[in-house]
Each structure stands twice: as C-alpha cells, then as structure tokens.
C-alpha cells in the first residue's frame, strides 16, 4: 500500500515534515518516493529506492510552507523515476493511492483533447483529468466533483495547483486522514505519518472534499456545501516506532504477544464468563457464520471455524474475500458475516462487508484500527488491541485475531450450554496463565538451530490435520513472506495424493501435532516423509516418541487457546530463517502492509 503525507503550515520546516512522514510510512512497503512543494512554483523531487536516497536530493533550507509526499508501491508501470509520484500535468500536481480502473478510456479522451503523457501510470491520467476539468470550470473543487463522477476504482488524493496555496483531498475505497497541529494542517494515509507534529485527527469520509490551508480545514460534499468535521485527539501511545533494542520490528512484535493477548481479552473477562456474555453481541440468533478475510487474517478464520464448530455447534464458512465478494452467497437473516482485517482497510474484505450490508446481512468486524473504514461501517466492532504493527508480516495482530475468535467460540459455547462450569474454570485459569506461557515459548526453544538446518533449501513443507492444518497454512505463509522460500502447507492426509512426490533427500517437513485425536495419524505421515529422506521438524504439545530430527514442545493448554502457543515457534523459525538468508524481514520485497487495491 502506498503512503501519502501532505502539510500546509506556518513554519519553514515543510520538507523535513514530509520526509519524516514518509519515513514513518516505510513499513507499508514501497519502491520509490517523492515530494512536491510550493516555492513560487511547484517543484518536484523524486527517487527510486529508499527514502534516504530522496533525502539526499533535497535542500532542506528551501523556503516553503506547503507540500505533498508519496511512497509508491508499483501497480501500473514499472519501478522507475518517471513513474514515481508526485505527478504533474498542466496546472495540477497530485499524489495518489489506489487504482483508476478506467484510466485507459480516460487517457484516450484526454489525448483527443491535446494531452500528452510521459508515464505508464494511472495516476498521471488522474492528474490530467483533474487538470482538464480545472481548466474547464476554473474551480478546483468543481473539478474534483467531476473527477469523482468520472473515474472508476479506488483513490486517495493529495492535490495542489500552481495558482493556489491550498491542498485538496478526496478519497474512495482508500484510506486518508486529515490532521491539525499547532503550526499547520496535514493529510496522510495513516496517523503515524503526522503524529509527531499533529494533535488531532479525523478520517475523511468518501466523496467529501477537504480544503486544507495553513490555518483552516474545510469539508465539502459533492454539492459543494460545507459539512461538519469530527476531530479526535491523537493517541500517541500507539504510534511508538521504537524497536526497543530488537534487531527487527517483527521480532519486537513477536515478543509483544503476551501483552497483546492480555490487552485484547481482559476487557471481556473482567467479571469472568458473565462479562463475556455482556460485552459481546448475542451470537445465538445466528444459524451460520461466514468469516471473510485475506492472507493471515483468512488463516485466523480457519482457526476460528475449527473452534466455533467444535465448541458451539454452529457451521462456519471461511472464504477469501477476493472470491467471496464475487460469488453467489447463500446467506440469510440468520447468517452473521464476520470480516477480519488488521488495518480495517483491506480492499477486498471491505468490498465483501459492503456486499453483505447491501444484502441486509448482519456484519461484525474484527480489526485493529478503531477509526478504520470497516470499524465504522460494520454493524458491530470487536477491536483487537495489538497496537501499532510495523512489520509487514503480521504476528501479534494475527494472534490477537485468533484470541478474539476464541472468545467468540467460548461465548457461544457457554450461551448454548455446551460447556460446563468446571471446564470454564479450566479455560479461565489457562487464560490467566497464557501470557507467561507465550513468553516462555518465545524464549525457551533454540529456533536458530532449526533455521540453520533448513535455510538453504528451496522448498519447505508444512503438514497438519484439523486445526493444525490451519496453523500450518499460517506458518508456511510467514516463511515464504519473509524468507522467499517456496513454502507450502498441506493437510497431512493429502500427502499420498500427489504431494509426497515432491519429497526428496533433505527436504524439510514441519509437522504440527496438537490435535490429540489426530496426532497418531499425523505421526504416520511424518514417518512416510522421513522414509523418503525428509528432514522432519515437529511442533507439538504432546510427549510423543516419534523420532523427529528436531522437536519443539509447546505447553499444553485448553484447545480454545492452544493455537496461540503453537503459532509462536512457526513465527520464530520463519524469522530466524529469513535472518540467515539476509532478507529484508520487516519490509519483504513486493509486499505491502495493507492491501487497499484489488
């Protein structure tokens, strides 16, 4: 996901503010960066690569009080200086997040009207369209209204014109915040970009135009009538980007999981199981649950499916959001659609949420960002408390999502009388002790030795059954995300249906074995790959005698909580492998923290 920052203020440190903001957005992933600033005329400075390369090109002594900046993650057009943002056409300069789907059609129309383009981006076409309308009506706000009516797709825009000292912004299906501080006003794609300088923030609603001067922020609807703003103080405690001595943000965030678990579940269990019922919606009115998500959040849905179906006897359908939004869905008024997203802005998941709402289906969002679009649009919000997650590959947010789905399963099981008082006592005891057990799991095993044994391999396989298969999928994704190894997860029972042909001497196979009734069957699969030369690694909560080459034992807790312990070794193995391969762990190539385009 690209990053936007803009500033219009009274001081003379505009370029430093823009660069600081772009650096704060580095965690999102990008391949080029640039700034545009007003100094009698609009000047643009761009670079390919990291922001420090852009920084070296900038003269910070330049007298300017207004500018916009951008980190680009290439979608339309290759990574080069020409395609980098900001883009300038005629009298207009813009930065843009999102995708303009009908840009080819618009490009032809503009070229027929004398426009020439230098890039292969959709953003330059968007800039040209705004310039065309601006010249036609001589009012930038009217031009933006016409732009919104014309384009299809997603966008968050920061716009400057050569004859004005004002920044304008609009958005659709791509997040943008407006912020204000003592010395000026801001736009950004994330609060973290401006929290160093700003005091309060609001989330810009769709189809609203923001007019930002150095001392005012005015909002207009599409009829160009003023609308009220709703600013809230910035909670700067969640925007801490200090690594606290860790080599990488990912490692820091793995170590934060005990606290994240405690912070996420505690509000729901202040008075034991009774408060869990009081603080959550009534799930018993639903005969079916659809969980919709992408990536790691999808994997949490698979864990949630296993737990809810087993303990609450409610059928759960888990779908990848990019498929769910386009398929025929067989839901009714007794179906609950749960969307899961760390950012609350994932494009496909948001579209699935809106589809369900259009069909009058109840929706619930599990997200980490309270002011995000999903948090605002879902009927019910269950906020996880993972804090700011900087590393692209999620760890603590994944665990917090699993924790929330475990609470939903417990809520339903208790409400339906599927679980007795003694078992509830056992669960509450395990919940209280779990943060220490997570911490011990992080610290006690030698993940480096395992990583050294497998990091040179080109192919690694994860296998498991039941809930362990869902965890295998997350372990495999984590490994491929940050180490670039071709890692695949398979249901252990499917090995004989083709996959075992890929096992050869030295192939690492990581088996997850925590499903008590299925452990012996998975052990048989481990023996099958071992007999064909595989290097076997077992992650288990059982004292099994199978001769793994390496074995990691995790504490045994109630099944509702076991995934929160089992996933930790998978995260740390991935981290250590990527470290040995000297990969960019926090910002893997080609990946973005939040995917806000299809």
């Amino acid at each position: 996901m690209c990053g936007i920052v803009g500033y219009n203020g009274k001081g003379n440190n505009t370029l430093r503010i823009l660069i600081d903001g772009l650096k704060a957005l580095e965690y999102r992933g990008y391949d080029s960066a640039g700034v545009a600033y007003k100094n009698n005329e609009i000047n643009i400075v761009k670079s390919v690569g990291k922001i420090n390369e852009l920084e070296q090109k900038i003269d910070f002594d330049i007298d300017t009080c207004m500018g916009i900046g951008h980190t680009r993650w290439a979608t339309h057009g290759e990574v080069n200086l020409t395609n980098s943002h900001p883009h300038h056409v005629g009298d207009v300069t813009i930065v843009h997040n999102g995708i303009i789907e009908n840009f080819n059609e618009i490009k032809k129309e503009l070229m027929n009207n004398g426009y020439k383009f230098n890039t292969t981006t959709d953003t330059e076409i968007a800039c040209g369209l705004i310039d065309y309308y601006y010249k036609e009506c001589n009012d930038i706000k009217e031009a933006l209204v016409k732009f919104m009516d014309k384009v299809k797709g997603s966008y968050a825009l920061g716009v400057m014109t050569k004859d004005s000292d004002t920044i304008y912004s609009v958005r659709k299906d791509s997040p943008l915040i407006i912020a204000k501080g003592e010395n000026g006003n801001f736009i950004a794609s994330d609060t973290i970009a401006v929290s160093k300088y700003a005091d309060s923030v609001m989330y810009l609603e769709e189809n609203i135009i923001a007019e930002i001067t150095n001392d005012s922020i005015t909002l207009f609807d599409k009829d160009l009538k003023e609308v009220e703003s709703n600013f809230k103080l910035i909670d700067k405690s969640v925007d801490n980007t200090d690594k606290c001595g860790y080599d990488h943000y990912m490692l820091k965030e793995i170590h934060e999981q005990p606290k994240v678990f405690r912070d996420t579940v505690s509000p729901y269990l202040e008075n034991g199981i009774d408060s869990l019922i009081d603080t959550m919606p009534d799930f018993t009115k639903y005969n079916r649950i659809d969980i919709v998500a992408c990536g790691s959040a999808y994997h949490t849905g698979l864990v949630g499916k296993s737990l809810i179906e087993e303990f609450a006897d409610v059928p759960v359908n888990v779908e990848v959001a990019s498929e769910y939004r386009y398929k025929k869905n067989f839901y009714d008024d007794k179906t609950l659609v749960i969307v899961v997203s760390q950012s609350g802005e994932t494009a496909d998941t948001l579209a699935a949420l809106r589809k369900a709402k259009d069909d009058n289906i109840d929706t619930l969002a599990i997200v980490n960002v309270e002011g995000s679009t999903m948090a605002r649009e879902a009927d019910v919000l269950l906020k996880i408390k993972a804090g700011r997650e900087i590393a692209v590959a999620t760890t603590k947010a994944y665990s917090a999502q699993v924790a929330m789905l475990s609470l939903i399963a417990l809520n339903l099981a208790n409400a339906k009388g599927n679980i007795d008082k003694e078992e509830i006592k056992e669960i509450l005891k395990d919940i209280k002790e779990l943060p220490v057990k997570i911490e011990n799991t992080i610290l006690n095993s030698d993940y480096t030795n395992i990583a050294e044994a497998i990091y040179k391999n080109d192919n690694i396989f994860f296998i498991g059954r039941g809930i362990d298969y869902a965890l295998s999928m997350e372990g495999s994704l984590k490994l491929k995300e940050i180490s670039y190894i071709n890692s695949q997860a398979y249901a252990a029972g499917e090995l004989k249906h083709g996959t075992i042909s890929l096992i050869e001497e030295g192939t690492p196979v990581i088996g997850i074995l925590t499903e008590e009734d299925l452990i012996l069957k998975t052990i048989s699969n481990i023996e099958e790959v071992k007999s064909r030369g595989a290097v076997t690694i077992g992650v288990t909560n059982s004292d099994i005698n199978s001769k793994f080459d390496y074995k990691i034992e995790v504490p045994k807790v109630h099944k509702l909580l076991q995934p929160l312990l089992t996933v930790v070794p998978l995260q740390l193995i991935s981290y250590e492998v990527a470290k040995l391969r000297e990969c960019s762990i926090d910002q893997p190539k080609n990946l973005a923290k939040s995917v806000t385009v299809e």
Side-chain angles (χ1 to χ4, degrees), residues 516-562:
E516 189 171 347
D517 296 338
L518 302 173
I519 283 178
L520 292 179
K521 292 185 178 297
T522 306
I523 286 175
S524 296
N525 302 127
I526 292 291
E527 294 297 335
E528 287 173 345
V529 297
K530 191 173 180 65
S531 68
R532 288 159 175 80
V535 174
T536 58
I537 299 129
V539 180
T540 182
N541 61 355
S542 178
D543 186 20
I544 52 180
N545 294 321
S546 181
K547 294 182 180 179
F548 295 102
D549 294 298
Y550 302 90
K551 186 170 80 169
I552 299 170
E553 290 189 25
V554 295
K556 187 179 184 67
V557 294
H558 194 278
K559 187 173 180 178
L560 278 168
L561 304 169
Q562 189 66 56

Side-chain angles (χ1 to χ4, degrees), residues 69-312:
H70 192 266
T71 50
R72 177 181 187 246
W73 187 65
T75 53
H76 291 68
E78 65 185 58
V79 180
N80 59 38
L81 200 63
T82 303
N83 287 335
S84 302
H85 296 212
H87 285 288
H88 174 80
V89 178
D91 296 335
V92 175
T93 302
I94 73 169
V95 290
H96 165 228
N97 289 352
I99 289 178
I100 306 301
E101 294 173 358
N102 58 337
F103 81 100
N104 273 323
E105 169 196 327
I106 296 170
K107 183 177 182 178
K108 291 177 183 177
E109 293 176 9
L110 291 174
M111 291 180 71
N112 288 337
N113 281 280
Y115 280 81
K116 296 181 180 180
F117 298 102
N118 301 312
T119 80
T120 53
T121 69
D122 57 335
T123 300
E124 189 185 21
I125 307 308
C127 189
L129 182 63
I130 295 171
D131 181 74
Y132 173 77
Y133 287 139
Y134 182 40
K135 286 181 168 61
E136 182 180 74
C137 59
N138 200 34
D139 185 312
I140 190 62
K141 293 194 293 294
E142 287 186 21
L144 290 172
V145 171
K146 291 188 174 186
F147 170 88
M148 288 187 280
D149 288 338
K150 177 73 172 179
V151 301
K152 298 176 182 178
S154 61
Y155 51 83
L157 297 178
V159 181
M160 298 196 309
T161 62
K162 72 172 187 178
D163 53 0
S164 171
D165 291 328
T166 303
I167 295 174
Y168 293 87
S169 288
V170 293
R171 64 168 286 264
K172 178 181 178 294
D173 293 338
S174 196
L176 198 72
I177 62 100
I178 311 294
K180 53 186 178 181
E182 184 178 347
N183 295 311
N185 299 310
F186 306 82
I187 63 169
S189 45
D190 195 328
T191 308
I192 194 173
V194 298
S195 60
K196 180 179 177 180
Y197 299 98
D199 302 315
S200 58
V201 63
M202 63 161 285
Y203 291 84
L204 186 64
E205 297 292 341
E206 293 194 356
N207 299 318
I208 297 295
I209 299 170
E211 182 181 74
I212 297 123
T213 70
N214 63 6
D215 60 3
S216 68
I217 296 170
T218 311
L219 305 181
F220 301 89
D221 62 19
K222 290 183 73 174
D223 294 324
L224 298 185
K225 295 179 180 178
E226 285 193 35
V227 295
E228 291 184 3
S229 58
N230 182 24
F231 282 88
K232 295 182 179 180
L233 290 176
I234 294 174
D235 181 2
K236 301 195 178 187
S237 64
V238 302
D239 287 329
N240 180 19
T241 58
D242 187 357
K243 288 182 184 174
C244 299
Y246 292 99
D247 289 341
H248 299 92
Y249 285 113
M250 181 179 179
L251 185 60
K252 172 179 178 279
E253 288 157 8
I254 290 172
H255 279 261
E256 288 174 344
Q257 287 177 117
K259 180 180 184 300
V260 166
F261 173 79
R262 189 183 298 110
D263 290 347
T264 296
V265 304
S266 293
Y268 297 95
L269 295 167
E270 287 182 356
N271 299 310
I273 196 71
D274 291 338
S275 63
L276 180 62
I277 298 297
D278 294 338
T279 53
M280 284 191 166
D282 178 12
F283 294 108
T284 60
K285 62 184 179 180
Y286 302 110
N287 294 334
R288 163 181 159 163
I289 295 173
D290 285 1
I291 300 177
V292 186
C294 301
S296 289
Y298 168 74
H299 297 157
T300 70
L302 295 174
V303 172
K305 170 186 171 70
S306 179
L307 297 176
I308 293 169
E309 289 184 340
E310 177 170 349
F311 291 95

Side-chain angles (χ1 to χ4, degrees), residues 51-85:
I51 290 169
N52 59 9
E53 297 177 38
L54 172 66
E55 194 172 13
Q56 293 172 11
K57 291 184 173 183
I58 292 175
D59 179 1
F60 288 96
D61 292 327
I62 288 174
D63 184 13
T64 176
C65 295
M66 184 179 78
I68 52 179
H70 192 266
T71 50
R72 177 181 187 246
W73 187 65
T75 53
H76 291 68
E78 65 185 58
V79 180
N80 59 38
L81 200 63
T82 303
N83 287 335
S84 302
H85 296 212

